Amino acid sequence: MPEPRDFAEFYASTFSSLTTQVYLHTGDLAEAQDVAQEAFCRALIRWREVGGYDDPMAWVRRVAWNLATSRWRRMRRGMELMHQHRVEGETPGPTPDRVALHRALRLLPDRHRQAVILFYLEDLTIAEIASLTGAAEGTVKSWLHRARATLAEHLLPERAVDHVG
């Protein structure tokens, strides 16, 4: 099958595969996506040249691997410098409450979680959240109400109820 020459087709047909390759190399999906995206951006800038290659994917793959290697080297060097200049002492881990909150937030549907974060952590108004999400204010209020109910169910200590029978 001939290699697609149109950049949009080329990108659509190869991005996922390249991201997977870089992910397997780096072990970090976000890093792999960033590296693949950067490689394709560089290909787009040079598409007249790269698109004419017998195997444009080979060029993009090489760029991605070079980027991943360079980032790894920079990160390794940064870690070395950090260890050389570190201040003794440990950073405390997350508290049990923070872990429980994180778990409970993950139980919420995406929109409910987004509304809770924007309302309680970013101090946005319901109107601002509605504008940002494209939802009606009543919908945002509903998301917050349902999210609070779910969070309360998972975060508040269970109330012991004795049934007298």
Side-chain angles (χ1 to χ4, degrees):
M1 171 180 238
E3 196 72 31
R5 296 296 181 217
D6 175 69
F7 184 80
E9 288 176 29
F10 173 71
Y11 177 86
S13 67
T14 57
F15 180 79
S16 180
S17 172
L18 181 62
T19 301
T20 300
Q21 293 168 34
V22 177
Y23 169 68
L24 293 172
H25 174 61
T26 64
D28 182 331
L29 180 58
E31 181 74 12
Q33 290 168 331
D34 288 347
V35 165
Q37 190 67 38
E38 178 64 25
F40 279 103
C41 286
R42 291 182 183 191
L44 178 59
I45 292 169
R46 298 168 181 80
W47 189 242
R48 286 185 187 198
E49 176 187 350
V50 173
Y53 293 163
D54 289 337
D55 186 5
M57 187 57 194
W59 187 91
V60 174
R61 186 180 304 110
R62 171 56 54 202
V63 169
W65 281 82
N66 288 345
L67 287 168
T69 301
S70 294
R71 287 181 179 199
W72 179 80
R73 285 180 182 147
R74 280 194 306 274
M75 183 185 72
R76 186 180 69 187
R77 181 65 183 139
M79 294 297 287
E80 290 170 357
L81 290 171
M82 184 180 75
H83 287 295
Q84 289 173 1
H85 302 289
R86 75 176 181 200
V87 176
E88 291 300 319
E90 290 187 25
T91 303
T95 64
D97 287 344
R98 186 175 184 99
V99 171
L101 177 60
H102 181 74
R103 278 192 194 127
L105 284 170
R106 289 284 153 227
L107 296 173
L108 299 176
D110 290 343
R111 288 299 199 165
H112 296 186
R113 184 171 50 252
Q114 180 184 26
V116 166
I117 291 167
L118 294 173
F119 189 76
Y120 290 104
L121 299 178
E122 292 298 317
D123 292 324
L124 294 185
T125 66
I126 289 175
E128 290 170 325
I129 296 169
S131 175
L132 182 72
T133 61
E137 288 185 31
T139 302
V140 173
K141 289 177 185 178
S142 173
W143 290 343
L144 288 169
H145 174 76
R146 291 178 183 170
R148 283 189 294 264
T150 301
L151 291 172
E153 182 180 314
H154 292 282
L155 293 174
L156 294 178
E158 292 185 34
R159 296 185 177 102
V161 178
D162 290 332
H163 295 310
V164 179

